[in-house]
Amino acid sequence: MPVVRELVRAYQAFKSYDDAHIRQLGLTSSQFDVIATLGNTPGMTFNKLAEKTLTTKGELTGLIDRLEKKGLVQRKVPPEDRRSFLAVLTPAGERVFEETFPAHIAYLKQRFEKLDEQELEQLQVALEKVKNLF
């Protein structure tokens, strides 16, 4: 189907552009996603973080392990539920967030600002419709 092919090609083009910049920032796209999601928060449970980053809890555990080794994230046990963990940015992780998030948003804006406001709105509506088909 031509629509599916174009949707996949659009995603692949975006992902290639997005990933190239994130690699320049010294992170993988999954690591950036976790740092961007945790930024400006007091931390999140693994379940909530997995949901927001669209990863499985198993994948997230490995990601958090690697980010802990880099000194960017730490696990904390919340006092109200000692059976779970919170993923929290360390001060170094906060600095990475503060440096990389605005830089990456500016990088993406270079492309998206080529569309006018009406085109962006139409694109968002169309993508929501496609999402809701499934």
Side-chain angles (χ1 to χ4, degrees):
M1 285 174 44
V3 171
V4 172
R5 187 175 311 114
E6 208 52 43
L7 180 63
V8 170
R9 285 181 180 158
Y11 174 74
Q12 288 171 333
F14 169 79
K15 191 72 173 143
S16 177
Y17 182 78
D18 187 61
D19 284 352
H21 187 249
I22 290 170
R23 280 191 305 275
Q24 290 174 2
L25 298 172
L27 299 166
T28 66
S29 59
S30 296
Q31 290 171 342
F32 177 82
D33 195 14
V34 168
I35 289 170
T37 303
L38 289 175
N40 293 328
T41 73
M44 287 183 202
T45 64
F46 277 39
N47 285 338
K48 187 173 183 180
L49 186 57
E51 179 184 307
K52 287 189 171 278
T53 58
L54 304 177
T55 60
T56 67
K57 198 171 172 198
E59 292 170 325
L60 186 61
T61 299
L63 268 169
I64 297 298
D65 288 346
R66 289 185 287 284
L67 288 169
E68 273 187 314
K69 286 180 184 167
K70 288 184 169 196
L72 302 176
V73 173
Q74 63 184 13
R75 287 174 169 91
K76 287 191 174 180
V77 178
E80 67 277 0
D81 183 2
R82 305 205 44 85
R83 295 171 295 150
S84 66
F85 288 105
L86 290 178
V88 179
L89 289 180
T90 63
E94 284 290 343
R95 281 192 301 279
V96 168
F97 169 74
E98 290 168 3
E99 294 167 4
T100 62
F101 188 74
H104 193 59
I105 295 301
Y107 179 78
L108 294 177
K109 277 186 178 180
Q110 292 173 0
R111 293 293 191 231
F112 283 104
E113 67 189 10
K114 293 179 181 186
L115 301 172
D116 64 37
E117 193 144 334
Q118 183 180 5
E119 289 171 318
L120 286 169
E121 201 172 297
Q122 289 171 338
L123 182 59
Q124 184 175 353
V125 167
L127 289 170
E128 284 176 21
K129 283 182 180 180
V130 171
K131 176 190 73 175
N132 291 332
L133 291 173
F134 303 96

